[in-house]
Amino acid sequence: MGKKDKELDAAVEELAKADTLAFGGVGIASTLLPETEAYRHVERALVEHPEEARKKVDWLLKHGSPAGKAYAATLLDKVDREAGRAAWERLRDDKREFTTFSGCVMGRATLREYATERLAGD
């Protein structure tokens, strides 16, 4: 898996330092941010190489930036609902902030706020 390992590592590193959470294109030009591309790469890896990718997502949940942790919890939620919910529960007490994007709309959120919204959506 050599090249795939390096690509997965690079994507996880990108997410670990992310300061923005965006799942689609942002701005008028609908540009994909590097962290969004990295998220999509890890999302694909969870399907193609679930064991290896899951270890990386678990690491990201522990060591990532606030946005990185939100990406990790979102990824877990997609592949293991129970693990995703547990991740959001752990993040619910974190008051650190990150930038959010939804299309052209930029905002700020704390992990606490974001996790509480995700848990309420169940």
Side-chain angles (χ1 to χ4, degrees), residues 2-20 33-43 45 52-53 55-61 63-69 71-72 75:
K3 181 181 178 194
K4 290 209 181 276
D5 281 342
K6 288 179 183 176
E7 290 173 353
L8 180 57
D9 287 345
V12 170
E13 286 175 27
E14 183 69 40
L15 293 177
K17 65 181 182 172
D19 62 356
T20 301
L33 299 176
E35 46 265 71
T36 305
E37 291 177 351
Y39 170 83
R40 290 180 177 181
H41 183 87
V42 177
E43 187 177 39
E52 179 65 23
K55 289 176 190 173
K56 302 289 184 178
V57 171
D58 289 340
W59 179 90
L60 180 60
L61 187 61
H63 303 285
S65 65
K69 289 180 179 193
Y71 278 120
L75 287 161

Side-chain angles (χ1 to χ4, degrees), residues 14-114:
E14 183 69 40
L15 293 177
K17 65 181 182 172
D19 62 356
T20 301
L21 189 74
F23 296 103
V26 302
I28 294 171
S30 196
T31 304
L32 283 182
L33 299 176
E35 46 265 71
T36 305
E37 291 177 351
Y39 170 83
R40 290 180 177 181
H41 183 87
V42 177
E43 187 177 39
R44 284 189 305 274
L46 281 165
V47 172
E48 296 168 6
H49 312 287
E51 256 183 66
E52 179 65 23
R54 177 64 184 264
K55 289 176 190 173
K56 302 289 184 178
V57 171
D58 289 340
W59 179 90
L60 180 60
L61 187 61
K62 291 178 186 171
H63 303 285
S65 65
K69 289 180 179 193
Y71 278 120
T74 301
L75 287 161
L76 283 176
D77 221 10
K78 288 183 171 219
V79 297
D80 182 342
R81 189 78 174 118
E82 192 173 303
R85 183 164 183 77
W88 289 124
E89 290 282 349
R90 285 193 306 275
L91 297 176
R92 194 167 45 179
D93 293 330
D94 195 322
K95 297 178 185 176
R96 293 180 297 155
E97 290 188 332
F98 54 93
T99 301
T100 61
F101 260 106
S102 181
C104 294
V105 180
M106 184 173 88
R108 298 279 297 162
T110 65
L111 266 173
R112 172 186 281 187
E113 294 163 342
Y114 200 80

